[in-house]
Amino acid sequence: MCGVVGYIGGKNAVDVVVNGLKKLEYRGYDSSGVAVVKDGQLQIIRSVGKLKNLEENIEKKHLKSNISIGHTRWATHGKPSEENAHPHADPTKSIVIVHNGIVENYAELKSDLEKEGKEFKSETDTEVIAHLIKKHYKNNLLFAVQESLKEIKGSYALGVICKDEPDKIICARQDAPLIIGIGKGENFLASDIPALLSYTRDMIFLENGDIAELTTSRIIITDIENNVKKREVKNIKWDYVQTEKKGYKHFMLKEIYEQPRTIEDTFMGRIYPDEGRVYIKKIKLSEKDIKNISNVYIVGCGTSYHSGLVSKFFFENFAKIHAEVDIASEFRYREPILNDRTLVMVISQSGETADTLAALRLAKSKGCITLAICNVVGSSMSREADHVLYTHCGPEIGVASTKAFTGQIAAIYILALDWAWRKKSLSKEELKRYLKELWEIPVKIRNFLKESGSVREVAKKFAHKRNFLYLGRNVNYPVALEGALKLKEISYIHAEGYAAGEIKHGPIALIDNDMPVVAIAVKSKIYEKIISNIEEAKARGGTIILIASESDKIALDNEDSVIYVPDCDEFISPILSVIPLQLLSYYVAVMLGCDVDQPRNLAKSVTVE
Ligand code: M6R
């Protein structure tokens, strides 16, 4: 879950690498470092903490070169410290590497190398790779990397430079994302697209097993046996300014406000409400294929798991297909019943989450039809799944996922409606109505965001509380889970999401007058039921923060704090009801002085198990 960047060309490589690392800081931010070759020597600078510490260090040492690799770290082996920060060099300081991933057999390799008299300076698994490359080095860096990787088990996105071959960077990929950026008289590498967008839009997404040699004028991609590989160059359309804060104090706030547009971008050109039709070009499943699907497993982690829980309602209610939802880390280890009539749909913003990727691979190995709902173009899941449906949210930088959640819901909503059309499980009138509901959502969110001052007031009132309960039912139960997750991860406040009907089976014991209860009670067929659950909570002294439909005046009279959202159909309501919860957690975190975009202990892409 670290970020890797490399550059070779006419610019000051250190500037390019540090700029790239800034765009990858979401991947890890406990320490960082850069390495260059200058005047025939390797120079390495590393710092603990945020990237600004590294920048200060670089400035003091006036580091400049035309070749550099850099790294921002999320610790796996060894605590965050300067010694454990990347880049790591071999003892003679002739080879230096940056690495994202895990060397699973590092203990064995380290002990063998120690027996050969090699000394280690860090507690990391990565350092063994530097030692191995040095061991195999005979004036050919590419060959030395190929040979070393034959001994390594695990995952890696690797950047390597050598003082004796200052005209090249070697990089390699196995189960961790790595992209090559193509320039004129310069080339780049990075863990993710945003790091390179200000320099180039032409990118190659390396595949597992790829090892590449970059010079200023050439890119050669081989496998471990030195067979040359051809890879497609993709032109990335993402807007560079999407990776900037654009005047917002935090990426998270900007991304919350972007949602009307990102939802629109996700459905635009794909839905025609007047005809009651959906056209999703990229999914090549025929009517016969869809009718043949017996059941759907929906798999994801964190926020993507929550959007999966919402999606279950779409498959069952629209497409009339049995759907189950699983946490990826559970699914992959519990022998699910899978066959060639099962569709396994993985949901992932990054398309790189290790557990979700493993779930996808398991499904493929069992002959299932696989579909990935991803945001990042060219990500591992989007390439490995049989079918991919992209959300068009643009880069999500804030560690707390917001626009990805609503984009995923919009994408799967239209997918299920498409299947409903093909299976004739909904009437034309129903299809038109559901599509119109989605069509109107962006305007409703825009209107809500304009008048969202009430959320700030509620945040002010409750920011000092140490525990929160979130309640929802049916399609809004996952929204309760999502609201609680948002609060936990950026405010470090304990919060639990529950199906409201379940509280009397235990959690109600927690409620007293110090426990705010956030209840999502928008108009739905079980509206009265959740209102009864709220009454039960109130009767035990709970202070209620109600998310209610605008037209619901009863709620205004009775509840302690109310945030109104525009009225909409209940199936699409999670897209709206989650917005105040995202904002609530945001404002609470800001009021508590928390690091909103880079909360402690977290990283944006969890590419390790
Ligand atoms: O990239 P993915 O959607 O696969 O990521 C899954 C989770 O790691 C992610 O949603 C995480 O829970 C977020 N920090 C939640 O805000």
Side-chain angles (χ1 to χ4, degrees):
M1 324 209 295
C2 310
V4 164
V5 184
Y7 174 80
I8 184 160
K11 300 187 173 74
N12 176 13
V14 180
D15 288 347
V16 176
V17 166
V18 171
N19 281 337
L21 290 178
K22 281 184 190 160
K23 295 286 186 302
L24 297 184
E25 221 182 350
Y26 71 85
R27 297 179 68 86
Y29 33 82
D30 61 43
S31 54
S32 54
V34 290
V36 302
V37 184
K38 197 169 179 213
D39 305 327
Q41 296 304 317
L42 282 183
Q43 290 187 30
I44 302 171
I45 298 184
R46 302 183 292 194
S47 303
V48 177
K50 294 286 178 71
L51 209 55
K52 63 175 177 15
N53 300 349
L54 179 72
E55 283 185 280
E56 280 163 21
N57 246 332
I58 289 172
E59 189 142 348
K60 269 189 228 144
K61 295 185 180 151
H62 306 291
L63 195 68
K64 280 196 171 133
S65 174
N66 64 350
I67 177 169
S68 177
I69 51 175
H71 189 270
T72 178
R73 181 169 187 248
W74 186 85
T76 57
H77 293 68
K79 60 183 181 303
S81 67
E82 201 173 316
E83 295 71 43
N84 290 334
H86 297 219
H88 289 286
D90 76 289
T92 65
K93 246 183 135 187
S94 56
I95 281 156
V96 67
I97 69 166
V98 286
H99 170 220
N100 169 34
I102 290 185
V103 182
E104 284 163 11
N105 57 339
Y106 92 99
E108 215 176 299
L109 293 169
K110 187 170 176 177
S111 129
D112 291 348
L113 287 159
E114 278 171 339
K115 278 183 206 140
E116 292 167 19
K118 304 289 184 308
E119 275 181 29
F120 283 78
K121 296 208 168 91
S122 75
E123 302 158 292
T124 66
D125 52 335
T126 299
E127 200 181 345
V128 296
I129 309 178
H131 282 260
L132 280 179
I133 297 173
K134 174 64 185 168
K135 187 172 150 186
H136 290 289
Y137 185 69
K138 290 183 190 76
N139 301 320
N140 184 340
L141 187 59
L142 176 62
F143 175 77
V145 173
Q146 287 164 337
E147 287 305 296
S148 306
L149 294 182
K150 287 179 186 165
E151 296 183 42
I152 285 166
K153 289 196 191 105
S155 56
Y156 46 79
L158 208 61
V160 187
I161 55 177
C162 170
K163 80 174 170 55
D164 300 319
E165 295 181 55
D167 59 341
K168 65 185 64 150
I169 303 177
I170 307 295
C171 59
R173 174 204 155 118
Q174 181 65 45
D175 291 335
L178 196 59
I179 297 162
I180 293 176
I182 305 168
K184 286 198 177 83
E186 58 185 1
N187 284 308
F188 309 78
L189 72 101
S191 298
D192 198 0
I193 299 167
L196 306 184
L197 271 183
S198 53
Y199 303 105
T200 178
R201 277 155 195 287
D202 292 333
M203 302 189 192
I204 297 173
F205 294 82
L206 289 181
E207 296 188 9
N208 279 342
D210 285 352
I211 303 170
E213 182 181 281
L214 316 185
T215 65
T216 53
S217 57
R218 202 186 55 212
I219 295 165
I220 298 172
I221 304 173
T222 72
D223 65 10
I224 214 158
E225 300 298 346
N226 205 31
N227 300 304
V228 173
K229 297 281 162 189
K230 276 218 150 104
R231 299 287 175 237
E232 191 192 339
V233 177
K234 291 211 164 133
N235 186 266
I236 303 300
K237 309 273 183 248
W238 282 3
D239 189 354
Y240 168 67
V241 289
Q242 285 179 316
T243 65
E244 302 286 300
K245 285 192 198 145
K246 284 202 270 185
Y248 287 92
K249 197 167 169 212
H250 297 99
F251 279 111
M252 182 182 178
L253 189 63
K254 181 192 132 206
E255 287 160 6
I256 291 172
Y257 273 81
E258 276 175 349
Q259 288 175 106
R261 190 184 47 73
T262 53
I263 293 166
E264 220 157 52
D265 287 351
T266 297
F267 69 62
M268 221 25 115
R270 288 170 165 169
I271 67 168
Y272 298 87
D274 295 343
E275 295 169 35
R277 280 299 320 265
V278 176
Y279 296 95
I280 302 174
K281 288 190 206 101
K282 293 239 168 91
I283 299 181
K284 303 273 177 249
L285 284 169
S286 68
E287 236 145 86
K288 196 168 152 226
D289 295 334
I290 293 166
K291 283 182 185 152
N292 197 37
I293 294 170
S294 58
N295 61 321
V296 178
Y297 272 105
I298 306 166
V299 186
C301 300
T303 291
S304 296
Y305 166 67
H306 296 157
S307 73
L309 290 169
V310 176
S311 314
K312 175 183 164 74
F313 288 83
F314 305 156
F315 283 107
E316 294 189 340
N317 289 276
F318 300 163
K320 312 291 181 210
I321 297 179
H322 173 70
E324 271 186 60
V325 196
D326 242 312
I327 294 170
S329 54
E330 292 294 314
F331 178 86
R332 61 182 292 196
Y333 290 117
R334 70 163 184 86
E335 303 289 323
I337 314 250
L338 303 170
N339 59 46
D340 60 1
R341 292 190 59 203
T342 312
L343 179 115
V344 174
M345 182 176 84
V346 292
I347 309 179
S348 175
Q349 187 284 130
S350 61
E352 300 293 346
T353 301
D355 284 318
T356 314
L357 191 55
L360 170 64
R361 289 178 181 159
L362 172 73
K364 287 197 81 169
S365 74
K366 302 276 181 187
C368 303
I369 310 155
T370 57
L371 164 65
I373 308 294
C374 289
N375 190 41
V376 177
V377 179
S379 55
S380 300
M381 284 178 227
S382 70
R383 284 184 288 119
E384 291 188 29
D386 302 326
H387 307 276
V388 56
L389 177 56
Y390 283 115
T391 54
H392 294 162
C393 298
E396 191 181 64
I397 312 279
V399 166
S401 191
T402 51
K403 61 179 178 171
F405 179 74
T406 49
Q408 288 161 351
I409 292 176
I412 304 165
Y413 183 90
I414 64 173
L415 178 76
L417 287 176
D418 180 37
W419 291 8
W421 184 83
R422 289 161 189 254
K423 291 183 75 185
K424 308 214 174 356
S425 51
L426 289 181
S427 70
K428 192 152 198 163
E429 287 319 305
E430 285 171 310
L431 284 163
K432 283 185 184 174
R433 184 167 66 79
Y434 287 130
L435 289 174
K436 192 164 164 283
E437 284 287 340
L438 176 62
W439 190 268
E440 289 170 355
I441 281 289
V443 173
K444 291 181 181 176
I445 300 180
R446 269 185 202 112
N447 291 341
F448 172 77
L449 287 170
K450 272 189 223 146
E451 307 291 330
S452 60
S454 60
V455 187
R456 201 196 297 257
E457 290 311 308
V458 173
K460 218 185 275 171
K461 198 158 142 196
F462 293 98
H464 62 285
K465 298 283 182 186
R466 296 316 300 153
N467 298 287
F468 279 70
L469 216 52
Y470 284 70
L471 304 180
R473 287 188 81 136
N474 265 3
V475 79
N476 276 302
Y477 161 50
V479 177
L481 297 177
E482 178 59 9
L485 174 63
K486 291 287 91 91
L487 192 71
K488 277 186 263 213
E489 68 180 331
I490 61 167
S491 309
Y492 321 137
I493 292 174
H494 173 237
E496 296 295 340
Y498 277 100
E502 185 68 9
I503 54 161
K504 54 185 163 301
H505 300 286
I508 202 163
L510 291 169
I511 298 177
D512 59 15
N513 51 18
D514 207 27
M515 172 71 89
V517 179
V518 182
I520 305 142
V522 291
K523 286 288 174 62
S524 75
K525 64 174 184 294
I526 42 96
Y527 171 75
E528 279 77 21
K529 304 277 173 206
I530 187 151
I531 293 296
S532 308
N533 301 138
I534 292 166
E535 289 304 332
E536 288 159 11
K538 276 182 72 91
R540 271 91 190 162
T543 320
I544 309 296
I545 302 164
L546 192 70
I547 310 299
S549 298
E550 232 159 40
S551 64
D552 192 357
K553 295 301 168 208
I554 309 163
L556 179 66
D557 295 336
N558 300 334
E559 302 306 329
D560 302 351
S561 295
V562 187
I563 300 167
Y564 288 113
V565 290
D567 287 34
C568 66
D569 178 78
E570 71 175 298
F571 285 114
I572 201 63
S573 65
I575 283 196
L576 265 176
S577 50
V578 76
I579 310 277
L581 304 189
Q582 295 170 343
L583 279 175
L584 179 66
S585 62
Y586 172 78
Y587 288 129
V588 169
V590 171
M591 285 167 197
L592 295 179
C594 298
D595 190 342
V596 172
D597 284 333
Q598 295 176 346
R600 71 184 181 205
N601 304 342
L602 295 177
K604 182 75 182 159
S605 297
V606 186
T607 55
V608 291
E609 193 180 342

